[in-house]
Amino acid sequence: MSMTKLEQARHYEAIHGAGITPGERPLFHLTPLVGWMNDPNGFSLYRGEYHLFYQYYPYETKWGPMHWGHAKSQDLLHWEWLPAALAPEDAYDNAGCFSGSAIELEDGRQMLLYTGVQQFPTEDGGVGHRQVQCVAYGDGVDYQKYEGNPVITARQLPEGGSSVDFRDPKVWKEDDGWYAVVGNRASDGSGAVLLFRSEDTVHWDYAATLEECRNEYGRMWECPDFFPLDGRYIVIASPQEMQARGLEFHNGNSTLYSLGDYERKTRRFRRAQVRSLDYGLDFYAPQTTLTPDGRRVLIGWMQSWESCGSQPVGAKWFGMMTVPRELSVRDGQLIQTPIRELDGYRVAPVHYSAVKLQNRVQLPGVEGRTIDLTVRFRAGEPGGCRRFAIRIAADERFATVITYFPTKHILRIDRRHSGFPYDVVHIRDMEVRRQGEALKLRILLDRFSAEIFVNDGEQVLSSTLYTPQSARGVSFEAEGSALIDVEKFDLAL
Ligand code: FRU
């Protein structure tokens, strides 16, 4: 008997996933079991464990017909792979099971709500595509697609909404039913976040348009999320074809958050502020969930679509998730910090205080590729430091360089010498929001990435690196006079 596509994927990943040793992967960032990963999907709690699915093509390290890969975790840092959950093999998702979300139902089942991409022959002999929303139900391992799929189609769209760009449903439950936000392209060609409601998870009605791009922030908006946070509301979206604005956004695929207020009765969201969610080189399509103790936690795809072609030679997996981040609102801005569970895995502390920088300084004990490093910088005297730099993952040949220009408040990441085979975009500058010459950076290094949390999470820069693991050095340097405090832990998970 021939295997279904899902059986084929499960068979393939079991064999080839086992061929990748733990040392070839990050220590605590989730990678695909084998092959390709993009967006986080279905990030949710089910039967007391965190589940994280992902856009998945097991057979190659490049994007292909989308499956859903699957992993679960107790602490959001140790992940256990489960067999692939969905494969593109039904009439309504024959060209891909695109991004979506998951939720635990009262009857004990887990529901997946995802986008089916349907390919069909057109009247003129060509090929057409449309996107519809579908559900599947399961027990945390095996899922059955609903026989009545699709559950949301173009028929439920407001006038002018695109049936081609209509994807990435994010579901949650309220007292009066299930809600989902879905990304769509409106009649002006630009993105919109639509709100749908259902009383039974299979009949859905359009309820409102929550946020609209109006061609101001890119074009199509992918992977929306929407949630209350510390008395305000946040819409997250990942626009395509974004145009840079100063240093706030960058060209291409970008992720923004819109912070504002929401009136539930009228279903109106009023935006107060739109900002970048991450200023690094690799971040897209994040998704959030709530922990049992009420924390809103976000995970993103730590990759950019633009640089997917620049993979390490011989890669067996490609694409990884960011560290999970706790979200909060402070002084009207979104704050992101690494989940506190990570603190439990910090060992071998090394401290230095008020180190005066002259030329390049290496501090004994401060090195490594799986470390949690906090650096507090201040100028020796006001205006007295023109440039301060930290070199990480460094040896004679390689280094990823984080540079701060204190009088300009600019922070730069430069990974030109970080092991990439091709010259894609490797430098990015960010304006540090908190004005003042002092700066605090918490840098998480995990073999193939660096995540930089600036000034207690006011801004974040996430970037992948493929520097050989033997490049473990860390050094500090300043032009002018500077003082630093350093706190470094090894991460042992
Ligand atoms: C975002 C995205 C989604 C889509 C998925 C396909 O990265 O383009 O909009 O569902 O990836 O893999």
Side-chain angles (χ1 to χ4, degrees):
M1 230 178 83
S2 68
M3 286 198 276
T4 65
K5 281 199 174 156
L6 184 63
E7 285 164 352
Q8 272 170 37
R10 287 179 164 197
H11 180 70
Y12 183 90
E13 65 180 1
I15 294 167
H16 295 272
I20 307 177
T21 60
E24 295 176 279
R25 299 181 186 270
L27 185 63
F28 57 96
H29 287 77
L30 183 67
T31 48
L33 180 47
V34 60
W36 164 274
M37 160 195 279
N38 58 288
D39 316 353
N41 293 160
F43 185 26
S44 58
L45 198 72
Y46 178 64
R47 293 187 183 158
E49 294 180 303
Y50 297 103
H51 284 249
L52 184 58
F53 303 81
Y54 50 89
Q55 288 287 279
Y56 186 34
Y57 187 62
Y59 306 108
E60 283 180 277
T61 56
K62 59 184 196 196
W63 193 86
M66 280 290 107
H67 295 56
W68 274 37
H70 190 187
K72 67 174 185 173
S73 173
Q74 313 252 353
D75 62 2
L76 293 165
L77 295 166
H78 292 91
W79 292 98
E80 176 194 332
W81 286 283
L82 294 168
L86 297 174
E89 53 193 333
D90 289 274
Y92 48 81
D93 64 14
N94 58 5
C97 299
F98 272 22
S99 284
S101 49
I103 193 166
E104 179 163 4
L105 301 177
E106 274 129 40
D107 62 12
R109 292 177 303 165
Q110 187 180 34
M111 178 179 84
L112 313 181
L113 178 62
Y114 70 98
T115 297
V117 182
Q118 191 180 7
Q119 186 175 308
F120 56 90
T122 56
E123 277 169 15
D124 58 6
V127 176
H129 285 96
R130 66 170 78 95
Q131 300 184 342
V132 292
Q133 317 316 317
C134 310
V135 292
Y137 301 96
D139 60 2
V141 179
D142 297 308
Y143 298 85
Q144 278 78 48
K145 292 176 185 171
Y146 171 58
E147 66 278 5
N149 275 340
V151 296
I152 314 178
T153 69
R155 280 197 302 279
Q156 283 114 300
L157 281 173
E159 211 185 313
S162 162
S163 62
V164 178
D165 286 310
F166 179 33
R167 58 182 174 270
D168 311 334
K170 172 76 197 303
V171 67
W172 70 94
K173 178 92 197 303
E174 291 188 23
D175 302 341
D176 62 345
W178 286 267
Y179 285 82
V181 281
V182 190
N184 189 218
R185 195 189 281 268
S187 53
D188 64 1
S190 81
V193 177
L194 308 184
L195 179 70
F196 288 84
R197 189 176 90 88
S198 171
E199 290 181 6
D200 58 7
T201 75
V202 294
H203 298 93
W204 292 83
D205 292 311
Y206 165 78
T209 295
L210 276 188
E211 245 301 26
E212 280 172 289
C213 168
R214 298 202 185 88
N215 286 310
E216 253 187 293
Y217 297 97
R219 303 267 291 163
M220 171 62 187
W221 281 11
E222 302 189 304
C223 300
D225 201 343
F226 177 61
F227 49 88
L229 190 68
D230 296 333
R232 308 296 298 276
Y233 275 82
I234 307 270
V235 174
I236 290 176
S238 293
Q240 297 180 307
E241 298 171 71
M242 186 75 136
Q243 293 292 301
R245 286 205 196 166
L247 299 178
E248 185 60 29
F249 301 106
H250 61 88
N251 288 344
N253 295 286
S254 210
T255 301
L256 58 77
Y257 72 85
S258 172
L259 187 150
D261 298 292
Y262 178 60
E263 197 186 49
R264 196 166 178 260
K265 206 166 68 196
T266 56
R267 299 199 171 110
R268 284 202 55 182
F269 173 79
R270 252 179 256 274
R271 99 162 59 132
Q273 189 187 81
V274 178
R275 281 190 153 152
S276 257
L277 199 64
D278 193 288
Y279 294 84
L281 292 156
D282 292 299
F283 184 88
Y284 198 63
Q287 201 172 71
T288 70
T289 194
L290 265 186
T291 61
D293 58 2
R295 289 174 289 157
R296 176 65 61 174
V297 173
L298 172 141
I299 271 188
W301 179 41
M302 191 155 40
Q303 185 54 50
S304 76
W305 280 111
E306 290 76 12
S307 64
C308 286
S310 190
Q311 302 188 0
V313 175
K316 298 175 187 167
W317 58 265
F318 188 73
M320 62 184 133
M321 298 300 170
T322 64
V323 74
R325 307 171 180 179
E326 292 182 18
L327 303 186
S328 58
V329 176
R330 195 170 67 219
D331 301 331
Q333 53 178 327
L334 185 68
I335 304 295
Q336 307 173 65
T337 52
I339 45 154
R340 63 194 69 165
E341 282 80 348
L342 193 64
D343 299 355
Y345 301 105
R346 304 204 289 192
V347 300
V350 177
H351 292 274
Y352 289 92
S353 59
V355 178
K356 273 202 187 110
L357 289 187
Q358 274 162 343
N359 305 322
R360 193 173 289 175
V361 172
Q362 268 170 298
L363 300 172
V366 179
E367 59 161 16
R369 292 293 291 274
T370 48
I371 60 174
D372 186 343
L373 175 70
T374 297
V375 181
R376 287 188 181 77
F377 159 88
R378 55 199 181 279
E381 60 205 66
C385 182
R386 285 173 302 284
R387 185 179 68 87
F388 160 64
I390 310 176
R391 297 160 69 85
I392 53 175
D395 62 10
E396 300 72 45
R397 184 162 168 215
F398 295 103
T400 302
V401 188
I402 303 160
T403 307
Y404 182 48
F405 300 94
T407 52
K408 297 184 190 146
H409 314 294
I410 301 285
L411 187 68
R412 169 175 300 166
I413 173 130
D414 176 349
R415 58 149 195 219
R416 279 173 300 174
H417 304 287
S418 308
F420 283 85
Y422 297 105
D423 257 353
V424 288
V425 178
H426 285 322
I427 298 183
R428 188 152 288 150
D429 285 355
M430 174 192 94
E431 198 171 342
V432 176
R433 219 173 279 152
R434 195 191 293 177
Q435 302 280 301
E437 292 180 44
L439 182 77
K440 180 177 173 192
L441 302 178
R442 181 172 173 195
I443 303 167
L444 299 182
L445 283 187
D446 184 6
R447 290 186 187 140
F448 306 104
S449 63
E451 289 162 286
I452 308 170
F453 293 81
V454 182
N455 289 331
D456 300 304
E458 290 177 0
Q459 287 162 290
V460 191
L461 301 95
S462 304
S463 300
T464 56
L465 7 146
Y466 293 102
T467 320
Q469 298 302 313
S470 53
R472 295 167 46 81
V474 175
S475 65
F476 306 91
E477 63 193 63
E479 236 177 85
S481 66
L483 292 170
I484 55 167
D485 305 325
V486 175
E487 185 183 37
K488 175 249 170 184
F489 298 90
D490 287 327
L491 291 167
L493 278 91

